Amino acid sequence: MEFKTERTDGVTVLFVREDRLDANNSEELKTELRRIFDNGTKDLIIDLKEILFIDSSGLGVLVSGYKNASILHGSLKLSNLQSQVKSMFELTRLHRVFDIFTTVDDALQSYK
Amino acid sequence: MKNDIDVDITIPSHTRFLRMIGNIGEKVAKEIDCPEKIREALPGQLAVVLTEGLVNAIKHAKCTDPNKEIHVRINYSHKDLVVRIYDNGIGFDLDAVPDPCFSSDSLEDKGRGIFILRTLMDSVKYTRSDGENVLEMKKCLG
C-alpha cells in the first residue's frame, strides 16, 4: 500500500494511494497509523480520495486510528470520501463519529 | 426472455481474491434485470456482500489455510438474489454475533461485517451440512 504524508501547521495529512481498503491490505494502514502516532502526531487527516471501495476491515482500521488519536488527546479527521465509501460510513453510522470534510483544505481549516 | 443468472466460483481461501470476487459481483449485478432504483445501488452492494462474506469464511470460520478452497454461488431467479458462500472451516455461531455499538464512547474496531450483511440483504443464515458451512444471503429485487 502506498502512502504520502504532509505536515501543515502541526497537522499531519496522510494520503492513501490505493483504490481499495479491505481485509487484504487494511493491516498496512494500521501499521502506518501506528508509525505516525509513535512519531508524535496527535492531529491527523486521512485523505481517502483514491479509495473507491472499503469493507468492514478498512472501517475497523480507521476506527482504531480514531481511538488512538483520542487517547493521545488528538483527533483523526477524514477527507474526500468517494460514494461507496460514504455509503459504508452511513450504513455503519460512522459518519456520526468522524469529522468528515469534502477536501483536505476544509479539514485543515477546521484546526484553525 | 429468460433472465436467470447462476454463477459458480471456486477460489483459494485468501484475501487477495477479494478484489476479484468484488469485481465479479459488480458485473453480475449490472446484468440483473431489476427496477431502476435498485439497479443503481446493486453493483456496489453485491461487491460488499461478496467481500464481507468471503472475509467471514476466511477469518471467522477459521478457513485460513490458502490451500483450502471457498465456493461462491450467485443465483438470480424469479426476482430473488441468493448468494451462498461455502467453506470447510470450523464455523461460528451467527446468532452470537452482536450488532456493533454505535456510540463514539464505546467504539469497537471489529464486528461490522455481519451487521453490513444483515443490513444489505433481506435474510442471512449460516448453517452446516454435509461437512461444510454455508452462509446464505437472500434479497428480493422485485
Side-chain angles (χ1 to χ4, degrees):
Chain A
M1 180 175 268
E2 270 191 55
F3 304 102
K4 188 179 94 176
T5 50
E6 289 177 0
R7 199 156 167 86
T8 307
D9 299 332
V11 179
T12 300
V13 184
L14 175 67
F15 296 88
V16 183
R17 315 295 298 270
E18 287 285 334
D19 63 346
R20 291 176 65 94
L21 182 55
D22 62 21
N24 192 47
N25 62 8
S26 57
E27 276 300 311
E28 294 174 51
L29 176 59
K30 194 169 190 172
T31 303
E32 182 66 8
L33 293 180
R34 198 176 298 131
R35 189 190 67 76
I36 287 171
F37 288 126
D38 286 350
N39 286 344
T41 288
K42 286 185 177 175
D43 294 318
L44 175 66
I45 298 166
I46 303 180
D47 186 76
L48 298 174
K49 187 178 183 178
E50 295 186 31
I51 302 284
L52 303 177
F53 181 91
I54 193 166
D55 71 357
S56 62
S57 303
L59 293 172
V61 168
L62 295 174
V63 168
S64 166
Y66 176 91
K67 285 160 54 178
N68 286 336
S70 298
I71 289 166
L72 297 167
H73 302 291
S75 61
L76 191 161
K77 302 183 181 186
L78 303 173
S79 62
N80 269 313
L81 271 59
Q82 303 301 318
S83 62
Q84 189 272 349
V85 178
K86 204 181 286 180
S87 298
M88 288 292 276
F89 271 80
E90 288 169 358
L91 188 71
T92 55
R93 303 179 206 176
L94 288 173
H95 65 302
R96 298 180 190 167
V97 173
F98 285 87
D99 285 335
I100 298 171
F101 297 87
T102 309
T103 66
V104 172
D105 284 346
D106 288 347
L108 282 168
Q109 200 64 37
S110 72
Y111 284 103
K112 292 179 179 167
Chain B
M1 191 175 81
K2 200 167 163 62
N3 288 312
D4 292 2
I5 295 175
D6 203 0
V7 178
D8 246 301
I9 311 155
T10 301
I11 48 175
S13 179
H14 195 286
T15 54
R16 73 188 176 89
F17 293 96
L18 293 179
R19 178 189 294 272
M20 188 190 82
I21 202 79
N23 288 345
I24 291 170
E26 282 188 16
K27 285 188 166 59
V28 169
K30 284 176 184 169
E31 297 301 325
I32 290 176
D33 185 23
C34 59
E36 185 73 32
K37 199 178 169 186
I38 297 173
R39 198 186 309 146
E40 200 176 304
L42 192 62
Q45 290 180 352
L46 188 54
V48 170
V49 165
L50 288 166
T51 301
E52 297 293 349
L54 197 63
V55 170
N56 188 74
I58 295 168
K59 292 189 169 175
H60 305 123
K62 306 272 191 302
C63 191
T64 49
D65 179 354
N67 293 319
K68 285 189 174 176
E69 289 178 331
I70 294 176
H71 173 202
V72 179
R73 187 166 180 195
I74 308 165
N75 178 266
Y76 176 70
S77 181
H78 300 100
K79 297 183 181 176
D80 284 327
L81 175 66
V82 184
V83 177
R84 293 186 184 90
I85 299 179
Y86 302 82
D87 72 77
N88 292 303
I90 61 169
F92 72 103
D93 183 2
L94 183 69
D95 294 331
V97 181
D99 281 348
C101 181
F102 298 113
S103 161
S104 56
D105 298 332
S106 49
L107 280 178
E108 293 290 338
D109 303 358
K110 297 179 178 175
R112 290 179 181 79
I114 297 295
F115 172 77
I116 288 167
L117 294 177
R118 285 178 173 145
T119 306
L120 292 178
M121 302 299 278
D122 295 336
S123 73
V124 180
K125 281 196 307 184
Y126 189 71
T127 53
R128 187 170 180 87
S129 66
D130 296 332
E132 66 179 355
N133 307 302
V134 188
L135 179 67
E136 183 184 87
M137 300 167 283
K138 291 184 181 177
K139 189 179 180 76
C140 177
L141 304 179

